[in-house]
Structures are given as C-alpha cells and as structure tokens.
Amino acid sequence: MRVAAYCRVSSDKDDQINSFANQRQYFNEYILSRPDWDLVKIYADEGISGTSTRKRQEFNNMIAAAKAGAIDLIITKEVSRFARNTVDTLKYTRELKSLGVYVIFMNDNINTADSDSELRLTIMASIAQEESRKTSERVKWGQKRRMEQGVVFGRDMLGYDVRGGRLYINEEGAEIVRLIFHKFLQEGKGTYTIARELEGAGIRTSSYMKNWSGTVILRILRNEKYCGDLVQKKTITPDYLSHKKKYNQGEEDLVILRDHHEAIVSREVFRAVQEELDRRSSVLGDKSKYSNRYCLSGKIECGLCHSRFVARSKRRADGMLYVAWRCYEATRRGLAKIDGNGNKAGCSLSRQIPDEYFIAMVRISLSGLKELKETILKELLEIVRPVILAEKEKDFEISSLTQRREQIELKKDRLLDLYLAHDISQAEYQRACKRYKEEIHNLEDKEKAIAAWEESGHRETAIMGIADTFRGLLAGDITDDNFYRALVDKIIVCRLDHIEVYFKGVSAPWIFQLP
C-alpha cells in the first residue's frame, strides 16, 4: 500500500521546530516499519495556520497526488494537525474516500475506512475548531492589552524603525517625511506632484514601497504617527477561519495613545496639513466640514522669508468661527534672528491677519476688474451653455426614455409567460409586475417633464440665471470660496502696509495695507 504522511506546526518557534522534526522522523520510521506499506512522501507545512487549507502548499500537493492516484492511505497525528476547520476536514476526507483513499488520525484513533468514522471525525473536528476560536480570542485579547500599554504592532515605516515593540526615528527617512510635509503645506503642491518630484530626484521609498505615488504621499500626510500619536486596530480580522483583514468600521474600539513617541513633524504642522487636505477635498466636491473655509490656503506668501501663511481657527464665545493667517516661519521659530549655527531663522511678520481682511481685499480687487470681468463672464458662459444643453439632451432625451419604457413592457410580457408556464409563483409574478409598473410610471413622468422643459424654454432661463450669478460673484456682491480660489493667483504680504493681490491672467497686482 502506498502511504503518505502529513504533519504541520503553526509557528516557527524553536519548540515547534523541534516538534516538527520529531513528527517527520516518527512518520518516516513508522511507515518503514510496516512491510506492507511503501512510503510515498512525508508532506509537511511549517509555520502555517491550520484554520484554512488555502495557503498550505504541501497539504494541497498531497491532495493533488491522491487525486492523481499516487496515494492509497494518508496518516496524520490528529485532527487538529490535519485541519481546524470542520468544513475542510469533512470535505477533504469525503473527497479522498470517494477516490478510495483513507485517512488515519493516529492520536484520535479514527480511520475514515470505518463506518462510524464521519460521526467521530465531526465531533473531533468541531472540538479542534472551537479550540482554534478560543485561541484566537485569547491572542486578540492579549494583543489589545499590549497595545494599550504602548507596544507597537507593525513593521518599519518611512521615518521610523520598529524594534522591540517601540518606534525609533530613522533620520534618513524622517528627512524625507519633513520634505513631503513642507512641499505640501509650504509650497502648496499636490500629492501627485510631490510623488513625481521625489521620483525624479531619485529619492528612495521605504523598503515595502515600490514607487512613489499620489496614494503613498497621501497616506504619509494622513499618518498620525508622524506627530507622535499612535492609533492601532485600524484593521481587524473578524473571521478566525479565513484570517482575512478588513478596515475597522467601528466593529472594535481603536487603541489611541497621544504623544506616544518622538514626533517627526510638530502637531501644529500636522493639524494644518489635515485642514488643507480636507479643504482641497472640498474643492473637488467633498461636502466636508471645511467646504466653506480656507479658500486661500496655499495662496498667501510671506514677502520677507518666502514661506507660506497658515490658517489658525478658534470658536468665539458667541459661537462664531474666527480664522486668521500667520507666517509659518514666524509661527514655528518666532521673530527673525540668527540661530546657533549662524543661519537666519524666524520672521518679523509675526502678526495674525484675519481671514476676512484677505477676502475683503479680493472682493475690492474684483470690483475693479472691469474689462477682465466681461472676458471672464463670456468665457464662463461659453463653458456653461453647451454643458447645460448636452446634459439635458443626454439625461432627458424623450426617445431614450421611450425605448427604456418599451423594454420594460417586453419584460412584463416575458414575466407573464413564465407565470403561465408555472416557472414562477403567483406572489413572485405580482411583486415583479408591481415593480415594473412603478418604473413605467416614473419614465412617463420624466417624458412629460422633458416635454414641458422643451416647450417653456427653461434652458435659456437657466443660462441667464447662471450669468446673473457670475456677475454677482465678479462684482463682489456674492461670495464663493471655490470661485475666489480659482481666480486668485497669489497674495504676497510684503509688509503690513503693503499687500499685493494677484489674479490669474492679470500681471499687475492690487496693493492694500492693513488697518
């Protein structure tokens, strides 16, 4: 009889490795001691979990050999070594049995050739699976306690090395992190631009990242570890059998530790980056809480030190939000001075400037753009008009709606045929008929609405309304952050009594001074 053995250990610890070697030696000697048995192979998986057979290469090779007719009998130590998943255990033993291949579980005294083997096997496999579940719960509980104590679970990352469950700054990577934050916040560059510049400069990624990309940059900018905080359990493994990870959407509590380790960027810089990320998302259509704030982020420059102005906000006693801007260099290093290395540091433009002052400057400047306003208005209307017409024709074309309605009518006819042929029940027929009737009614309403739209000339009315809105924006009577951001090129604060406002397409600036 051609006999194969299967053994497995679930970790690569020393005691398990010894057990692994002992199992192989035992099976080798045991099979060779039987004169009527011929050893095919000892299949062995090392350091692999038994809760699923998906990643157990040697196990899968053994099953393939059995299907190919190369094995008559398989011996293994116990059910928990073969599989801790009851479904897998029964599936494979039944499949092997249908091929005339039996499995002997030595410690459990089960031979699938026996008539009562499946009942006993089910009981033992269920016990093994339950033990696996309990082990998983104990491991998760222990990991969470260690996380709460500050132990880091994870690999090295850009700027940090993980050693002994602690984060240590890797200065080479930390410089790259600071550069990324600077490019985004001070230079106003986007994630894809930053990625392209790093790639072009030949700057290496961390070991687990192949190339720089916008997504990689965004993850770095969003990672709270860089300001000294630690958040763990962002991903969880809800199923101990499949071991598939998923993002924690509130199923389990996060473990959050503030000021857990040495920061690479200041909390102030990190917070400013998060606000700017949210603001840029709002410009692209995200209805976030920042959608009406910081429209001038990345637009205001310091004329003395050439760094960016950053926004700070606070809630007043009356509930109103107060937003002010300040030179980042002055915020970070104070007034202008010479540091210990003989380098210039800080900035003399340390005054906070209310956001409303800059908005007022933009509105006043727009009111003086007489010739440019007409050009802008004409260009905007040329863009809007075909878009409105095309969208209406695409979305509300009567012929298209009529075609869809006819298709639903055909479905209703086929549905009746199925009912008459007794392929569906009366209840199923009535539910489907009701759904189709509602869809047809909705399409008919749309057809009537489009016909009314075409006859009333609402398209031109809509375009005229949009034109009035544009005129209000350009005159400063209506304020809109996204509109202002699209028109303003930059604002340079040269001195408190000399602030230059530049618009895209206009070479000369408007000059203002603070009150």
Side-chain angles (χ1 to χ4, degrees), residues 157-161 170-180 194-213 216-217 220 226:
M157 55 186 289
L158 184 68
Y160 285 111
D161 295 331
N170 177 317
E171 197 54 44
E172 181 180 357
E175 282 302 312
I176 300 174
V177 171
R178 295 186 189 104
L179 177 63
I180 290 170
I194 296 172
R196 187 175 64 250
E197 289 183 356
L198 294 178
E199 198 76 35
I203 296 176
R204 295 182 300 172
T205 62
S206 59
S207 58
Y208 66 91
M209 298 185 300
K210 293 183 178 180
N211 298 299
W212 292 110
S213 68
V216 168
I217 300 299
I220 291 171
Y226 292 122

Side-chain angles (χ1 to χ4, degrees), residues 403-431:
Q403 185 179 7
R404 286 171 59 190
R405 182 161 52 80
E406 290 173 350
Q407 290 173 350
I408 295 175
E409 293 285 1
L410 287 174
K411 289 182 180 179
K412 281 185 64 180
D413 293 340
R414 295 193 193 104
L415 186 69
L416 180 59
D417 293 338
L418 291 172
Y419 172 60
L420 294 175
H422 303 290
D423 290 332
I424 60 174
S425 67
Q426 183 179 5
E428 291 173 325
Y429 172 71
Q430 290 175 340
R431 283 196 298 270

Side-chain angles (χ1 to χ4, degrees), residues 175-357:
E175 282 302 312
I176 300 174
V177 171
R178 295 186 189 104
L179 177 63
I180 290 170
F181 275 78
H182 177 83
K183 283 179 176 292
F184 181 83
L185 188 60
Q186 306 309 316
E187 299 180 13
K189 294 176 178 176
T191 55
Y192 290 100
T193 300
I194 296 172
R196 187 175 64 250
E197 289 183 356
L198 294 178
E199 198 76 35
I203 296 176
R204 295 182 300 172
T205 62
S206 59
S207 58
Y208 66 91
M209 298 185 300
K210 293 183 178 180
N211 298 299
W212 292 110
S213 68
T215 302
V216 168
I217 300 299
L218 181 60
R219 287 176 181 169
I220 291 171
L221 294 172
R222 288 290 194 190
N223 197 326
E224 71 289 333
K225 289 186 179 70
Y226 292 122
C227 72
D229 295 343
L230 178 67
V231 178
Q232 299 195 97
K233 291 190 77 66
K234 292 180 180 178
T235 59
I236 57 175
T237 309
D239 188 350
Y240 71 98
L241 294 176
S242 67
H243 296 284
K244 290 183 178 179
K245 291 185 178 294
K246 65 177 291 264
Y247 284 106
N248 185 357
Q249 301 291 344
E251 295 90 344
E252 297 183 23
D253 293 335
L254 295 171
V255 178
I256 304 173
L257 299 176
R258 189 179 173 90
D259 297 321
H260 169 268
H261 53 270
E262 185 180 356
I264 291 177
V265 299
S266 70
R267 188 174 301 280
E268 188 177 46
V269 168
F270 185 79
R271 187 180 296 114
V273 166
Q274 305 318 300
E275 292 175 352
E276 176 62 8
L277 283 168
D278 289 329
R279 192 207 60 74
R280 294 189 191 183
S281 295
S282 72
V283 171
L284 296 175
D286 177 22
K287 304 300 184 182
S288 72
K289 63 180 180 179
Y290 297 99
S291 60
N292 292 317
R293 286 186 268 167
Y294 313 128
C295 75
L296 298 175
S297 291
K299 301 281 188 180
I300 308 174
E301 302 176 11
C302 177
L304 297 184
C305 67
H306 306 293
S307 67
R308 297 279 178 177
F309 269 55
V310 292
R312 297 292 176 266
S313 62
K314 65 179 180 180
R315 189 72 60 178
R316 290 171 172 163
D318 60 1
M320 295 295 291
L321 187 69
Y322 173 78
V323 179
W325 297 84
R326 190 182 178 193
C327 172
Y328 174 71
E329 185 66 17
T331 301
R332 184 184 179 191
R333 301 186 181 182
L335 293 174
K337 55 184 175 292
I338 303 298
D339 63 18
N341 297 322
N343 299 318
K344 292 182 179 180
C347 182
S348 299
L349 279 175
S350 59
R351 176 180 167 181
Q352 287 193 350
I353 304 174
D355 184 64
E356 59 197 54
Y357 285 8

Side-chain angles (χ1 to χ4, degrees), residues 374-392:
E374 291 304 318
T375 303
I376 294 174
L377 180 61
K378 183 179 179 181
E379 291 177 354
L380 289 173
L381 289 177
E382 287 177 353
I383 294 171
V384 168
R385 183 184 296 274
V387 170
I388 290 179
L389 297 177
E391 285 300 314
K392 295 302 178 185

Side-chain angles (χ1 to χ4, degrees), residues 300-306 309 347-349 353 358 491-502 509 511-512:
I300 308 174
E301 302 176 11
C302 177
L304 297 184
C305 67
H306 306 293
F309 269 55
C347 182
S348 299
L349 279 175
I353 304 174
F358 287 117
I491 298 175
I492 301 177
V493 183
C494 301
R495 300 185 306 273
L496 297 180
D497 61 348
H498 187 96
I499 299 175
E500 300 176 352
V501 179
Y502 290 84
I511 311 298
F512 295 89

